[in-house]
Amino acid sequence: MNPHLLEERVATVSGGPDLADTARARLAAHKATADACRRRTAERRAELERALAGDSTGHALDLMLELDALERVQDRIDHRLSELCDALSEPRTLRYGDAQPI
């Protein structure tokens, strides 16, 4: 999911006093995980570019495999974060798969 859209989804969760500390902690943990995966993907992509430029040939395959896994996992993490935002938001808004309201 687009990081900007994900930020908008997180912002839809009301931060009022009715939101339990455990829910806030879950939301923060999900967001931190999504952000960390995105950062790590960017780092590995840059490393891969350097490796493919001839800096280290044996390392490129390992980087490609890790990058592939990170990109697949990012989708799952983003989806879980989006679902959590839905669960914590009031009232529940029907959304398309791209997290845009209907």
Side-chain angles (χ1 to χ4, degrees):
M1 179 182 293
N2 180 311
H4 178 69
L5 291 176
L6 198 57
E7 288 291 330
E8 288 179 354
R9 296 284 297 121
V10 171
T12 65
V13 177
S14 65
D18 295 338
L19 190 61
D21 289 340
T22 54
R24 287 180 206 280
R26 286 183 64 208
L27 184 61
H30 277 70
K31 184 171 179 337
T33 301
D35 292 343
C37 188
R38 204 166 264 106
R39 276 191 308 275
R40 189 168 177 167
T41 299
E43 291 167 0
R44 293 307 176 266
R45 196 170 282 130
E47 283 182 56
L48 178 60
E49 290 302 317
R50 287 191 299 272
L52 292 174
D55 292 349
S56 62
T57 56
H59 193 56
L61 181 58
D62 292 336
L63 289 169
M64 284 182 176
L65 291 170
E66 184 178 357
L67 186 57
D68 179 62
L70 286 168
E71 289 170 344
R72 284 184 282 122
V73 167
Q74 184 73 58
D75 288 336
R76 293 181 189 150
I77 294 168
D78 290 353
H79 183 71
R80 288 186 67 152
L81 178 55
S82 185
E83 286 179 341
L84 180 60
C85 290
D86 280 343
L88 297 176
S89 295
E90 293 287 335
R92 188 169 170 95
T93 304
L94 295 176
R95 298 186 174 275
Y96 290 108
D98 62 356
Q100 293 297 315
I102 293 177

